[in-house]
Amino acid sequence: MNLLFLSIFILFSILILRLGYLQIVKSEEYVMALERKEEVSVNTSVPRGRIFDRDGRILVDNEPKNAITYTKTSSTTTQEMLDIAEKLALLIEQDTNRTTIGDKRDFWILNNKEEAAKKVTEKEIAKLEGDASEIQREINRLTRERVTDEELNSFSKHELEVLAIYREMMSGYAFSPQIIKSGDVTEEEFAAVSERLGELPGVNTTTDWERVRKSYNTILGTTTTPDQGIPSEQLEYYLTRGYSRNDRVGKSFIEQYYEELLQGQKTVVKNVKDRTGKVIETKTVQEGIPGKDLILTIDSELNSALEDIVSEKLLELKNGPNSQALNEAYLVMMNPKTGEILSLVGKRVARNKDTGKYEIRDYSFGTFSGAYMAGSTVKMATLLTGYQEGGARIGETKIDEGIKIANDNMKSSVFNRSYNRIPMNDIEAIGRSSNVYMWKTAIGIGNGTYQRGKSLSLKSTTFDIMKNSFESFGLGSLTGVDLPGEVSGYSSRADLSDILDYSIGQFATYTPLQLAQYVSTIANDGYRVAPKILKEVREPSPDGEIFGRVAEETPVKVLNRIKNTDEEIDRIKKGMYYTYYGPRGTARTLFKDADFKAAGKTGTAQSSASVPNPNDPTKYIFYPNTINLSHVGYAPFDDPEIAYAVLIPNVSTNPGKYTQAQNDIVEAAVMKYFELKEKKEKDAEFDDVFKIKKPFNKDDILGEDDEKTDE
């Protein structure tokens, strides 16, 4: 009995120790094994934020589409997915064009295992070297290579559809819904699959979203499709931020730059799995939130009208003489005080391969990604730099005459080809566009002394002084615009002759957006403001009709204030005023009958261009002497609302024959702005008088005791 009791005691002790070990030491491990909860971020097709213009007109929207998705688990087998694909192929039509040769090889091997095993003989396997995994990889490679074309072409239409569906199923991660078909899902297919969801584990019918652009403006950018997913070069970046491989992301411009705002917040669910890995419950931890809506500074009505103006003029020029190198035209209009871009127009002309006729295509991103010589429009920057450095004084008279330096050819202003001696002050120098006045100002900046026919010496820092000053106006430096892909232009180290060219816009290159910022700096009394395309961010609309509340307003960003005094800046403004209203102004007829006053500056630059040979696109034709046209200005003169810049590169291959087409664009564009402004003001007055703020209710008018009649 003692031995029996001792044995029982030992056995119970062992049992207690074992239970203690399991409950205490292994408790956490077994609890995790029993429950095994995994929290994963799941893409439930949360709509991207919409994009609107400044007046609430929709530019980019989301269109709901029926979709069929599949979610596999970590324990889902290949055969289970094949069975489901087989059933789905009977219910829907699937596009088979995306299947590759590799897909077909794998599918054939999967469905013909015995025949596939015979593709590599035992003798061949015996000759293979390496560990087991290396040998198996080589066997798989040889097997895939030996699947014949006849075998690949043996699939029926139904089998190809099964393959196409299976291919989409395999492309997703475990517990992450993968779109099998979206957009072109018919109502019949949607209903048929919905009715049989119980027979199709992992399959679901849902709503997907397709990005729809209401405007062709390229700065809006594009997004990838679910098929494309995240671009390979950005994969690691997005995966670390909770994205899935098949998520839509912005590819360019606004869609890319404001991706984090537009993307929204995906639904987070907690999948509860049993010990076999099967999901037995799904709990929503966090509901998805659509992306925020963006309100742009662009006025789409104005922008559309200005696009028509630029397109019409560009087509007219291209169909005219000497236009072999002409391809683009640009127009930027912005608010000089806030930096809000009202219109960003870039147009490119190309020949339609089918019709042989020229057609216009959008190239708005060229306004900040392409740089060109701008000519005399930079002369205000030269004179302002002269004021700063002692190269010119307010009201100073300089003689416009032929300039001859050492052995160089004689140089002159356009209006003084006879080399007369014409005295003029700084206002006339801007308004009449005197090259000589600017050259003498640049010589003064460099502490040089001009003597006809003699060599000229300037201090070594002259170019750096001018370049730094120009950059403070926005010329040759990034503008700070909230768009990717902006360039700063070109202005390398210059020698003496280059410095003189630089002073009249014949050396460095600038973007159309830089020209707009530069003239805005003058209009804004010397304050350089960063251009912006985003006006405000709003929370997602609660019903798709009204705006959500304002989440963020983009502030005005002042980059710097130029070093000139108010008096010096006002003097420059008077010179620009002379351009339009002076007796010898270079654009004196432009706004003579308008109800407003404006100020501006015209420019031409001698350039060169290489363009594809129309007979052989792989070769280029070089045109050594082309003309760029430019024009900058602002209006109204006393209280600027808009600043504008027009640039037409390579308008003519004959330096002696070209029209002032930039002036035509400016006149039409500025007049259109004020025309639309007047229309908006009248519409606003009408709304204030006639718009009923809330539904009419007779009880609001009549007392309870009054007789309520129809009258």
Side-chain angles (χ1 to χ4, degrees), residues 8 26 36 160 299 306 491 506 512 530 558 578 623 656 661 670 686:
I8 293 172
K26 289 288 188 177
R36 199 175 298 277
L160 288 174
D299 182 333
L306 301 194
S491 57
Q506 292 286 163
V558 178
Y578 187 104
Y623 294 97
V670 175
F686 179 87

Side-chain angles (χ1 to χ4, degrees), residues 47-52 211 258-265 289-295 536-541 549-552:
R48 283 177 74 85
R50 298 177 296 171
I51 303 176
F52 298 85
R211 206 65 166 156
Y258 289 108
E259 167 66 26
E260 292 185 6
L261 293 172
L262 291 166
Q263 178 66 20
Q265 181 176 290
I289 301 174
K292 290 181 170 58
D293 292 337
L294 305 185
I295 311 298
E536 61 188 30
V537 181
R538 288 183 175 266
E539 297 293 347
S541 170
R549 66 177 180 82
V550 175
E552 178 185 347

Side-chain angles (χ1 to χ4, degrees), residues 405 408 443 455-458 494-502:
I405 298 175
D408 291 346
I443 293 171
S455 297
L456 183 65
S457 177
L458 302 179
D495 58 25
L496 176 60
S497 61
D498 292 330
I499 290 174
L500 297 185
D501 286 342
Y502 185 77

Side-chain angles (χ1 to χ4, degrees), residues 166-180:
Y166 173 75
R167 179 185 188 277
E168 300 302 330
M169 289 178 164
M170 288 293 294
S171 61
Y173 288 116
F175 307 110
S176 180
Q178 181 67 25
I179 292 177
I180 303 300

Side-chain angles (χ1 to χ4, degrees), residues 388-405:
Q388 295 174 17
E389 302 296 328
R393 298 186 304 276
I394 290 177
E396 180 182 3
T397 297
K398 295 180 187 288
I399 304 298
D400 189 290
E401 59 186 329
I403 294 291
K404 182 79 167 63
I405 298 175

Side-chain angles (χ1 to χ4, degrees), residues 452-472:
R452 187 183 181 91
K454 302 292 185 179
S455 297
L456 183 65
S457 177
L458 302 179
K459 61 183 180 183
S460 61
T461 57
T462 304
F463 179 73
D464 292 332
I465 291 170
M466 295 184 68
K467 183 175 182 292
N468 291 336
S469 178
F470 276 41
E471 288 179 354
S472 72

